Amino acid sequence: MSKKILITGGAGFIAHHVVDKILSTTDWEVVTLDRLDFSGNLNRLKEVVSAYPEKEQKRVRVIHHDLKAEINPEIAATIGKIDLISHLAAGSHVDRSITYPLEFVMDNVVGTAHILDYARKLDSLERFAYFSTDEVFGPAPKGINYKENDRYNSTNPYSASKAGAEELVVAYENTYGLPSFITHTMNVFGERQNPEKYIPMVIKKVRDGERVTVHANAKKTVAGSRHYIHAEDVANALLFLYNYNISSMQPDDTGAKCQKFNIVGKDEIDNLELAQFIAQSQKKDLRYEMVDFHSQRPGHDLRYALDGEKMKNMGWTPQSAFKRLEKVVDWTLKNNRWLSI
Ligand SMILES: NC(=O)c1ccc[n+]([C@@H]2O[C@H](COP(=O)([O-])OP(=O)(O)OC[C@H]3O[C@@H](n4cnc5c(N)ncnc54)[C@H](O)[C@@H]3O)[C@@H](O)[C@H]2O)c1
């Protein structure tokens, strides 16, 4: 019998790419759960799912639920038997977390507690995957790439709420034996991303001849940088991990059992280089201004960086971000409704 996966935040940006990958590479049934706020858009799911034959489309179901409330027996019955869970639902906009920190505690910490408590009562759950972020480690000085079990140092309520939720996952594995893993992903881009995010925002500004703001250091000489990764690579990594024999992996040297995985893009790109690449792809000149963003907006960091050796040694590698980026720029300009949602 085919597996059934529950994906929370299914109408969100990364999750809809995960649904697409599952439809194209497995025979799994998918139940998505989302509260459909300003960042959850059912049109994302509709666009990818409707590209499949009708029989495949029937493999996907959508359930409307806000994880600030528990999954009561009625919703659990509607979801039905589940083999795998990918928990992606979260408030994901750092700026919003700085303005409304408690909203992020409710969505990301309490919301994770609710899905974990539902998961621990399931009879035959194979694996619970929690999507966390590189931002839990805080800023990475040049030359430092954080490993999975390094110390955390959240610099904004978003990352703190993601780190808090991680610890709940660790506790549910240690206390109840919930088979889990945690991923740290960074700067994911791709088709149908919210236009508030850097890449779609730059595509739009370059298209409209507007000036791009590039976050930089205090002297405005060094642009911030990130490892970027396409959402399809993230979906590939998730399926790779579901198929990997995680139960056979040993705790780390300190005894920490719950496995964590850094899903890292191939290329570290600075914000200016990225904007220039996007302008070149549109055959336009880049108008830009370097700003000392961190001093003006505490909570934003100049550089984030992860070490990808663990996943590499397990046999997983991402594609080049630059190669994907050119296609995303082209796709976004042709499907420009996604620049004005
Ligand atoms: N985008 C990135 O670069 C990135 C990097 C690292 C980690 N992540 C993590 O990956 C996950 C997905 O990120 P994304 O960029 O696709 O975010 P997104 O904002 O596009 O999607 C999040 C989805 O979760 C839903 N949601 C939020 N709160 C909810 C609640 N209380 N109940 C039910 N649904 C709720 C939203 O409606 C939305 O559809 C998040 O957990 C995020 O923290 C994202």
Side-chain angles (χ1 to χ4, degrees):
M1 219 171 68
S2 73
K3 286 188 203 289
K4 196 157 132 194
I5 182 168
L6 172 64
I7 301 179
T8 71
F13 162 61
I14 298 178
H16 91 286
H17 282 277
V18 172
V19 172
D20 194 10
K21 184 60 41 184
I22 289 172
L23 285 180
S24 66
T25 61
T26 75
D27 64 351
W28 300 355
E29 280 181 57
V30 180
V31 180
T32 67
L33 184 149
D34 205 294
R35 70 148 177 235
L36 305 177
D37 63 11
F38 73 98
S39 63
N41 188 331
L42 269 186
N43 290 328
R44 285 200 182 102
L45 266 183
K46 190 169 171 242
E47 268 194 23
V48 294
V49 175
S50 62
Y52 288 85
E54 210 177 313
K55 182 169 159 263
E56 307 301 327
Q57 292 181 27
K58 288 193 177 136
R59 285 163 54 199
V60 181
R61 273 199 298 141
V62 178
I63 292 178
H64 180 242
H65 177 68
D66 189 329
L67 281 169
K68 287 204 291 294
E70 66 170 339
I71 299 193
N72 63 32
E74 204 175 309
I75 300 163
T78 311
I79 295 170
K81 186 179 171 298
I82 285 293
D83 304 293
L84 300 164
I85 296 178
S86 289
H87 178 41
L88 287 100
S92 69
H93 292 239
V94 174
D95 283 341
R96 279 186 70 83
S97 85
I98 294 168
T99 315
Y100 307 109
L102 292 186
E103 197 182 284
F104 279 67
V105 173
M106 294 307 291
D107 282 333
N108 298 358
V109 184
V110 176
T112 301
H114 281 144
I115 190 77
L116 282 168
D117 218 53
Y118 154 80
R120 83 179 168 94
K121 293 171 196 149
L122 294 175
D123 287 336
S124 54
L125 187 73
E126 284 176 30
R127 197 59 66 183
F128 181 99
Y130 174 61
F131 264 71
S132 192
T133 168
D134 59 323
E135 296 192 31
V136 294
F137 298 108
K142 208 169 178 340
I144 301 278
N145 296 333
Y146 293 111
K147 288 187 188 301
E148 282 78 357
N149 287 11
D150 280 350
R151 97 288 178 270
Y152 289 0
N153 179 25
S154 302
T155 49
N156 56 60
Y158 164 69
S159 24
S161 67
K162 296 298 291 184
E166 276 194 37
E167 276 301 296
L168 280 170
V169 177
V170 170
Y172 269 65
E173 169 140 9
N174 287 334
T175 312
Y176 306 109
L178 186 80
S180 313
F181 65 79
I182 291 167
T183 65
H184 297 133
T185 319
M186 58 196 316
N187 292 83
V188 186
F189 69 94
E191 297 77 4
R192 304 175 199 84
Q193 188 166 27
N194 190 301
E196 282 178 19
K197 300 286 169 120
Y198 188 64
I199 288 180
M201 189 185 75
V202 173
I203 296 174
K204 188 174 180 191
K205 288 201 163 168
V206 169
R207 180 196 69 182
D208 299 342
E210 289 174 23
R211 190 171 17 213
V212 172
T213 301
V214 177
H215 304 163
N217 63 347
K219 289 186 177 159
K220 303 181 195 174
T221 48
V222 181
S225 68
R226 311 277 188 261
H227 276 91
Y228 282 87
I229 185 167
H230 191 280
E232 191 187 349
D233 275 338
V234 175
N236 277 332
L238 176 70
L239 293 191
F240 173 89
L241 289 170
Y242 275 139
N243 287 321
Y244 200 88
N245 185 4
I246 289 177
S247 310
S248 70
M249 296 178 84
Q250 296 302 313
D252 79 351
D253 293 344
T254 66
K257 190 169 138 209
C258 182
Q259 291 294 330
K260 301 181 184 182
F261 303 100
N262 290 346
I263 302 177
V264 191
K266 251 200 175 103
D267 311 304
E268 180 169 353
I269 309 174
D270 83 42
N271 296 336
L272 179 56
E273 199 185 356
L274 184 60
Q276 278 162 340
F277 184 86
I278 292 172
Q280 259 170 32
S281 309
Q282 297 190 42
K283 299 190 175 47
K284 293 209 172 174
D285 289 333
L286 178 72
R287 294 180 55 222
Y288 71 94
E289 180 188 16
M290 301 271 261
V291 293
D292 169 13
F293 202 67
H294 184 76
S295 305
Q296 285 170 24
R297 304 288 304 271
H300 288 264
D301 299 316
L302 197 61
R303 178 175 183 265
Y304 291 117
L306 294 177
D307 180 303
E309 278 301 298
K310 183 172 177 181
M311 287 284 283
K312 202 168 152 196
N313 292 336
M314 288 161 63
W316 180 82
T317 45
Q319 289 201 17
S320 141
F322 277 117
K323 228 162 85 186
R324 292 294 184 95
L325 187 54
E326 206 167 346
K327 286 189 186 150
V328 170
V329 174
D330 191 47
W331 185 94
T332 307
L333 291 171
K334 286 185 182 135
N335 296 273
N336 59 15
R337 61 190 172 281
W338 290 100
L339 287 177
S340 50
I341 54 166

